[in-house]
Amino acid sequence: MQAINHAVTALILKKTFPEAPLLGLILTTEAVEYLWVGLNIVGLEKTDIGPEMQSVSDVHLVHMPFSHSVGTSVILAAVLGLIVFWHGGKAAKAIALALSLGVFSHIVLDLIVHAPDIAVFPFFNPSKLGTGLYTNQPLLALALETVWGILCWWIFRGSWGLLALIVTLEITALPLYSNMINAGESLLTGQDTIFALVILAQMIATTALVWLFARKRTEAQPNGNAAVIE
């Protein structure tokens, strides 16, 4: 899934675990992708773009056994949760759980749309996982991602500005999901490292924007007053 849909998953976690830091939750939902960017840059994982970049169906994640595997996600989520719990004690139990769920949510959402390119565990690939929507039905994948983004906003009871941000980012991603719309993505053909850096910039910008629009929201209270929630 694109960065906005991972980031807004943090909104559900924030609603469920209000004591957890919003920025921390957003960062955990993208932790797997940050790892993917780093491993692609140093050459330990491989992305193949071609023969001509027209849509997401032309992005082939041919080798990513470390960043995008179910087993790795479970380990990263557990390690982070244990570290937070160890430092914060029982008082941090809910926060530890929330951050762990944030990490694991990434691979779960990717399984819904990715080509079969997600390993069960590094170097254990009897059958890679993924529905194949990015390869066969990219526009359907975008539709599902948009519904997910709006659902996260609705559960969180976010502002209209946050909803506008989510919808705008979904719409502006249309050229990446359609062969019929070209917004310059062909320039990324064969540029595997540049593509990873573009994704990195997208994640950083999305993290900042979602945090900015969602860090405060106003909910009506029974007494008619309003409460601002960080």
Side-chain angles (χ1 to χ4, degrees), residues 17 44 53 55 65 74 99 114 128-129 137 140 144 163 171 175 184 196 222:
F17 303 95
L44 291 178
M53 174 66 172
S55 74
V74 171
L99 296 175
H114 267 227
K128 289 188 177 181
L129 308 174
Q137 297 289 339
L140 176 58
L144 289 175
L163 176 61
I171 292 174

Side-chain angles (χ1 to χ4, degrees), residues 86-97:
W86 181 62
H87 281 283
K90 291 184 178 180
K93 182 178 180 180
I95 297 176
L97 177 59

